Amino acid sequence: MKRRFMNHRTLLSSCLILFALWLCYGCGNEDEYHYPSVKLEFLTATTNSKGTINQITTDGGKAYNVQADGSNLKLPADTLLRIVTNYEEVEGGVRLYGAAVPVSNYPVPLAEFKEEMVKHPVSIQSIWMGLDYLNMILQVKAQNKKHTFRFIEESATTDEETNELNLLIGLYHNNNGDLEAYTQRAYASVPLKQYAEKGYSKINIRFTLNTNEGETSNYDFEYIPL
């Protein structure tokens, strides 16, 4: 069965993914109950013809069949997509306890972006390279309105001598007039494999965003396709 990659721009272009997963592994006090051996990670998931997650692949490249899914996510059928989930290894695969869909649209070239470029403040809680993805946990000031996140390819240049691609990717964030009342989390994962498929030996990435302090922060990474 041919799978299609989920159109995250359609699904998420007008949505802020603000999730407090009902199971927060590793936080809280000693009196709280925690499921044993549960991991909270960014993963790549596939769905079956019913829109149920039936397989996950970790950013370490290990694939598991999903034996039980407690996330209750309503997803398109036969789709490949990113998720953030709490999961536990069980006999024959994994059990999912809770999951969210991060912002994970392909970077849009700046020349093709027809809207006003908006970069409302956002902070990085953590950012790291995964398998063919740049993952991040964002912190935003929000109250009750939907925010918009997108990734913008602000520039892309090639070093012909080394066959390397140099990317500048910016974070588009529009708070749509929301009040900066509370600090909330948002999960995001930038797809990079589409650049690897063009045959570059290495991809140098500079990711940039506007911070809550009114300054621009840059984060540099190297992506070497396998």
Side-chain angles (χ1 to χ4, degrees):
M1 180 180 294
K2 183 178 179 180
R3 296 191 180 278
R4 60 183 186 276
F5 194 85
M6 191 175 187
N7 188 335
H8 292 88
R9 184 175 180 181
T10 300
L11 177 65
L12 298 171
S13 62
S14 64
C15 296
L16 172 65
I17 307 302
L18 297 176
F19 287 99
L21 298 180
W22 61 271
L23 174 63
C24 183
Y25 177 65
C27 60
N29 59 51
E30 294 181 355
D31 294 330
E32 295 175 342
Y33 178 76
H34 299 292
Y35 287 89
S37 304
V38 171
K39 304 173 185 178
L40 175 61
E41 295 182 10
F42 282 72
L43 305 168
T44 301
T46 59
T47 62
N48 58 23
S49 60
K50 297 180 180 180
T52 301
I53 299 173
N54 60 356
Q55 188 176 68
I56 62 168
T57 302
T58 70
D59 278 358
K62 192 169 182 179
Y64 296 94
N65 291 323
V66 176
Q67 300 299 320
D69 181 4
S71 66
N72 296 318
L73 288 177
K74 296 181 180 179
L75 301 170
D78 301 318
T79 302
L80 177 71
L81 74 160
R82 291 292 276 177
I83 62 172
V84 183
T85 185
N86 294 286
Y87 73 97
E88 177 188 13
E89 293 186 34
V90 296
E91 184 177 355
V94 296
R95 177 192 301 272
L96 306 183
Y97 288 106
V101 179
V103 177
S104 191
N105 58 281
Y106 289 112
V108 180
L110 184 60
E112 299 177 11
F113 194 70
K114 304 304 180 182
E115 302 175 28
E116 178 186 359
M117 179 60 70
V118 178
K119 293 185 176 181
H120 288 144
V122 61
S123 297
I124 291 281
Q125 178 174 314
S126 56
I127 183 169
W128 69 99
M129 281 296 303
L131 180 64
D132 300 322
Y133 292 88
L134 176 61
N135 302 317
M136 63 197 76
I137 300 175
L138 306 172
Q139 292 185 331
V140 297
K141 297 291 187 178
Q143 187 177 55
N144 55 15
K145 291 187 178 181
K146 293 181 179 180
H147 293 217
T148 304
F149 286 115
R150 294 179 193 164
F151 304 121
I152 306 299
E153 181 189 291
E154 298 188 7
S155 68
T157 59
T158 303
D159 187 328
E160 296 182 358
E161 292 185 3
T162 61
N163 192 34
E164 295 181 9
L165 177 65
N166 300 306
L167 285 176
L168 176 62
I169 298 176
L171 180 67
Y172 171 99
H173 171 217
N174 189 342
N175 64 18
N176 295 305
D178 198 13
L179 296 178
E180 297 183 356
Y182 312 104
T183 299
Q184 302 284 356
R185 283 186 181 182
Y187 299 101
S189 192
V190 187
L192 300 172
K193 192 173 183 179
Q194 69 277 14
Y195 297 111
E197 291 173 346
K198 297 180 180 180
Y200 297 107
S201 60
K202 184 171 71 172
I203 299 168
N204 303 305
I205 303 164
R206 169 160 287 189
F207 185 80
T208 181
L209 52 80
N210 286 358
T211 69
N212 290 323
E213 290 75 28
E215 300 177 352
T216 299
S217 292
N218 300 315
Y219 299 86
D220 295 321
F221 297 90
E222 292 182 352
Y223 169 47
I224 301 177
L226 299 178

